[in-house]
């Protein structure tokens, strides 16, 4: 070979080698990508069988518990002795039956929130014995799955929760032969209750197969006709929200409008149900101008909508529209549930940028620190989050049934088994209600947003710990100096009140914390016309010393009644003098529909 040619070949060799290497890398990356997609598809298929629960996460939790229990002989002896003692007590109690003077629930009482055995029929033998045997077994399993030294706290909680769910299936209240209410109904109706129950079952099954999302308990509640009926107009629309402005019902209004940012894991009209329990109606009646965001229900094509898109296209777009309608006015911003988390992120971002458009920040059952976020966090670990990501990746969204099922599982006794007993064994439907109709009107979550929500907030707790990035830069809740009104609910299973109370540790602002009776929804929807509500409230100035939640609960006296008047009094004290109502919308929004708009029907 001539020297020149050899030199040319030699000079080309690195380039050729580089091309070969690049091609090999691309081929390897493509192969890994295809394998990754195959893994995701397999996980998505598996999720349909497990209800979205990662079997790996469950197996790791049980392995942790079982191995540590196997290495704890003293703990084994203790739980064995407890089993023997419980059996002995139960046998002795059975031998003494029946005694006229014997008190019901003489061995063990159910938890206050457990209403499965609350009716008088359960106090008679042998049903009292059935219930006590079950409750003793339930207590024994709780003690056996907790308190084992060395087990990770989250794994212990996973095991205890999953065992409790399995025991709930076996409760005597779930079976006709051991449920006195069912037997009594059968005797009274000549067995007709079982026929009616079968009809209810078939009706529900056909509704499920047909893909119908309306609940059998939704009744005649129709959006825009019997629920979400407050008069208003959509004044702005983009690809993610419709912004509703409600008509004033008083001659003069406070100059600062209220912007409500609801969660997008639910339809907005939880705060505008029937006229008698509508927060929107109550606020307009108190002389406030109210704006409400109505989120569009995403579909598979919206899989890449990011969490921050909800801030930009939601809260920021709404504030910009309000500024066009009422220029120069500060806004009372209210966020409910996940909407409150989003509002906190938006407020911290605005504080970082020196934006002072917020007059007050109001959070209802909203979390900003997710370290104690209740039983929703049981399966929030790397294994479970990856599994959920793969499940939503295939469909582009977290489906409505998966979302509803997760919340029902947290209160399975009330929302699953008690309902099935009533519907299918007793043969009676619960009376339809606006809350049931709203609860059946489920929504979906985009794949990317759902993944970022689980990872950045639940798994890594970035917002509370100063790592949450907005536009590439971290935000800090401690930059918030705007007065805050924060409401938690005493029996919240979605946003536990002690978790919402942590806002006192995170912001540098005056915080008025209110704890109301009830749960995540019923505690918030608490109109003054309803009886049975109560609340506790106290304001902590920005530089006051911290009081822990347990001490706070002991030292703050309860007040009977709805918390709504307390809040509107707080808002009025931070609002200007009454003035003429603002105009309705802008010229650009003239052709948009009246409330409740179009997105809520999606």
């Amino acid at each position: 070979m001539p020297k020149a040619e050899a030199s040319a070949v030699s000079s080309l060799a690195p380039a050729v080698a580089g091309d070969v290497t690049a091609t090999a890398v691309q081929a390897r990356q493509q192969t890994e990508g295809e394998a990754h997609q195959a893994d995701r598809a397999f996980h998505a298929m598996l999720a349909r069988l497990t209800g979205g629960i990662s079997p790996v996460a469950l197996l790791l939790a049980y392995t942790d518990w079982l191995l540590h229990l196997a290495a704890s002989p003293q703990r084994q002896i203790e739980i064995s002795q407890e089993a023997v003692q419980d059996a002995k007590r139960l046998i002795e109690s059975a031998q003494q039956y029946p005694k006229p003077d014997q008190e019901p629930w003489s061995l063990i009482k159910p938890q206050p929130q457990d209403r499965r055995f609350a009716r008088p029929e359960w106090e008679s033998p042998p049903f009292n014995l059935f219930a006590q045997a079950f409750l003793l077994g339930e207590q024994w399993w709780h003690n056996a799955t907790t308190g084992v030294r060395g087990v990770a706290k989250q794994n212990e909680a996973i095991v205890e929760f999953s065992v409790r769910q399995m025991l709930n299936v076996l409760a005597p209240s779930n079976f006709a032969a051991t449920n006195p209410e069912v037997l009594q109904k059968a005797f009274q109706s000549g067995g007709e209750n079982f026929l009616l129950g079968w009809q209810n079952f078939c009706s529900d099954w056909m509704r499920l197969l047909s893909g119908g999302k309306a609940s059998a308990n939704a009744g005649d509640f129709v959006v825009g006709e019997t629920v979400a009926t407050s008069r208003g107009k959509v004044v702005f629309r983009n690809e993610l929200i419709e912004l509703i402005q409600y008509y004033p019902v008083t001659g003069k209004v406070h100059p600062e409008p209220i912007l409500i940012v609801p969660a997008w894991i639910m339809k907005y009209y939880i705060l505008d149900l029937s006229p008698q329990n509508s927060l929107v109606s109550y606020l307009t009646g108190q002389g406030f101008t109210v704006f409400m965001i109505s989120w569009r229900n995403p579909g598979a094509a919206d899989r890449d909508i990011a969490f921050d898109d909800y801030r930009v296209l939601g809260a920021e777009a709404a504030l910009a529209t309000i500024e066009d309608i009422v220029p120069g006015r500060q806004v009372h911003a209210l966020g409910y549930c996940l909407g409150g988390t989003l509002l906190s992120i938006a407020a911290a971002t605005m504080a970082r940028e020196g934006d002072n458009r917020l007059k007050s920040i109001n959070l209802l059952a909203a979390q900003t620190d997710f370290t104690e976020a209740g039983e929703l966090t049981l399966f929030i670990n790397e294994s479970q989050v990856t599994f959920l990501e793969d499940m939503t990746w295939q469909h582009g969204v977290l489906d409505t049934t998966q979302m509803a099922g997760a919340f029902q599982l947290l209160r399975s006794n009330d929302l699953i088994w008690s309902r099935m007993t009533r519907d299918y064994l007793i043969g009676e439907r619960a009376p339809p209600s606006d809350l049931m109709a709203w609860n059946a009107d489920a929504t979906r979550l985009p794949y990317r947003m759902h993944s970022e929500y689980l990872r950045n907030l639940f798994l890594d707790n970035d917002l509370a710990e100063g790592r949450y990035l907005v536009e590439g830069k971290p935000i800090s809740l401690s930059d918030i100096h705007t007065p805050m009104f924060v409401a938690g609910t005493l029996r919240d299973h979605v946003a536990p009140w002690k978790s919402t109370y942590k806002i006192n540790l995170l912001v540098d602002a005056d915080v008025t914390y209110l704890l109301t009776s009830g749960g995540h929804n019923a505690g918030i929807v608490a109109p003054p016309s309803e009886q049975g509500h109560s609340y506790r409230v106290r304001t902590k100035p920005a530089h006051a010393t911290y009081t822990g939640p347990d001490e706070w609960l002991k030292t703050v006296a309860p007040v009977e009644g709805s918390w709504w008047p307390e809040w509107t009094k707080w808002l009025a004290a931070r609002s200007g003098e009454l003035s003429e109502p603002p105009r309705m919308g802008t010229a650009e929004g003239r052709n948009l529909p009246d409330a409740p708009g179009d997105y809520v029907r999606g």
Side-chain angles (χ1 to χ4, degrees), residues 309-331:
D309 291 331
Y310 283 83
R311 179 187 66 86
V312 176
L313 299 175
E316 285 292 336
L319 285 171
T321 304
I322 293 173
E323 193 171 20
D324 289 341
I325 297 172
V326 282
R329 307 272 182 91
Q330 287 185 298
V331 177

Side-chain angles (χ1 to χ4, degrees), residues 104-116:
W105 309 111
S106 56
L107 293 180
I108 184 173
K109 292 184 178 180
Q111 295 294 319
Q113 69 273 14
D114 188 352
R115 298 189 293 272
R116 288 173 293 183

Side-chain angles (χ1 to χ4, degrees), residues 322-566:
I322 293 173
E323 193 171 20
D324 289 341
I325 297 172
V326 282
R329 307 272 182 91
Q330 287 185 298
V331 177
H332 294 299
L334 165 68
Y336 180 25
C337 187
L338 181 55
T341 305
L342 179 71
L343 176 59
S344 301
I345 293 171
T349 305
M350 294 169 70
R352 184 187 70 184
E353 305 299 331
D355 188 335
N356 65 349
R357 284 178 292 171
L358 298 185
K359 183 71 172 180
S360 71
I361 301 169
N362 305 266
L363 306 180
L364 307 183
Q367 299 177 97
T368 48
D369 184 302
F370 290 81
T371 53
E372 296 182 81
E375 290 183 333
L376 274 178
T377 62
L378 288 181
F379 299 96
I380 302 300
N381 50 43
E382 186 62 40
S383 174
Q384 180 63 41
V385 169
T386 302
F387 196 72
L388 288 172
E389 285 176 337
D390 293 347
M391 180 178 67
T392 56
W393 166 83
Q394 186 179 59
H395 300 287
V397 291
L398 182 69
D399 192 63
T400 58
T401 55
Q402 294 156 345
M403 176 73 67
F407 288 115
Q408 287 178 345
L409 199 61
L410 297 181
R411 294 176 55 205
S412 60
N413 283 340
D414 294 334
L415 301 180
I416 299 178
W417 304 115
S418 294
R419 185 190 65 81
M420 292 179 68
T421 299
R422 182 185 62 247
D423 289 359
Y424 305 147
L425 296 183
I426 297 179
E428 296 177 354
R429 296 283 197 188
S433 70
D434 49 10
L435 192 60
M436 288 180 179
W438 167 83
N439 193 54
D441 196 4
T443 58
R444 298 175 291 271
L445 298 181
Y447 159 72
R448 181 178 173 185
M449 169 265 142
H450 184 243
S451 175
E452 292 173 346
Y453 174 48
L454 292 181
R455 287 196 173 277
N456 298 340
L457 296 175
F458 268 97
L459 188 61
D460 297 332
N461 203 30
D462 285 347
L463 179 59
E465 298 179 11
R467 296 186 299 271
Y468 193 89
L469 300 180
V470 174
E471 298 174 354
K473 296 183 292 184
I475 59 171
S476 174
L477 294 173
S478 62
D479 291 337
I480 296 177
H481 308 298
T482 305
M484 300 186 73
F485 188 99
V486 181
T489 63
L490 188 60
R491 296 192 300 276
D492 200 325
H493 61 288
V494 177
W497 79 269
K498 289 184 180 180
S499 180
T500 65
Y501 186 84
K502 287 188 174 185
I503 194 70
N504 288 286
L505 297 169
L506 301 175
V507 299
D508 184 20
D510 294 347
V511 177
T512 298
Y513 189 83
L514 181 143
L515 179 63
T516 181
S517 58
H520 187 71
N521 297 320
I524 297 301
V525 183
S529 58
E530 284 185 359
Q531 301 297 315
H533 297 291
S534 64
Y535 64 90
R536 305 165 191 258
V537 62
R538 177 180 288 177
T539 298
K540 183 185 91 65
H543 303 296
T545 57
Y546 173 72
T547 301
D550 293 327
E551 183 181 355
W552 185 93
L553 187 64
K554 293 177 183 176
T555 55
V556 179
V559 179
E560 294 299 321
S562 167
W563 63 273
W564 289 7
E566 182 75 30

Side-chain angles (χ1 to χ4, degrees), residues 6-137:
S7 176
V9 171
S10 177
S11 66
L12 288 172
V16 173
D19 289 342
V20 172
T21 302
T23 302
V25 169
Q26 291 174 356
R28 178 170 55 82
Q29 289 177 341
Q30 183 177 358
T31 301
E32 290 177 350
E34 291 174 354
H36 191 53
Q37 290 185 358
D39 290 345
R40 283 185 157 184
F42 176 74
H43 293 162
M45 178 193 68
L46 197 59
R48 289 195 291 269
L49 303 177
T50 65
I53 297 175
S54 168
V56 175
L58 202 60
L59 180 61
L60 289 173
Y62 271 88
T63 301
D64 187 9
W65 169 63
L66 285 171
L67 289 179
H68 281 91
L69 182 60
S72 305
Q74 183 175 346
R75 184 70 183 129
Q76 295 177 37
I77 293 172
E78 290 173 353
I79 60 178
S80 298
Q81 289 176 339
E82 184 179 344
V84 172
Q85 291 171 357
D86 287 345
K88 181 180 177 182
R89 293 168 59 200
L90 187 64
I91 292 172
E92 290 176 350
S93 178
Q95 290 174 343
Q96 295 173 2
Y97 257 178
K99 277 190 176 181
D101 59 343
Q102 185 169 351
E103 295 182 4
W105 309 111
S106 56
L107 293 180
I108 184 173
K109 292 184 178 180
Q111 295 294 319
Q113 69 273 14
D114 188 352
R115 298 189 293 272
R116 288 173 293 183
F117 314 116
R119 292 180 63 89
E121 291 89 339
W122 286 99
E123 297 177 4
S124 304
F127 306 107
N128 178 269
L129 192 64
F130 296 157
Q132 290 189 45
F134 173 78
L135 291 172
L136 284 172

Side-chain angles (χ1 to χ4, degrees), residues 548-594:
D550 293 327
E551 183 181 355
W552 185 93
L553 187 64
K554 293 177 183 176
T555 55
V556 179
V559 179
E560 294 299 321
S562 167
W563 63 273
W564 289 7
E566 182 75 30
W567 177 47
T568 51
K569 183 173 66 175
W570 186 91
L571 287 175
R574 289 155 181 80
S575 302
E577 296 295 326
L578 296 174
S579 58
E580 294 298 319
R583 59 176 176 158
M584 289 294 298
T586 62
E588 290 78 8
R590 188 175 302 157
N591 296 325
L592 294 174
D594 291 336

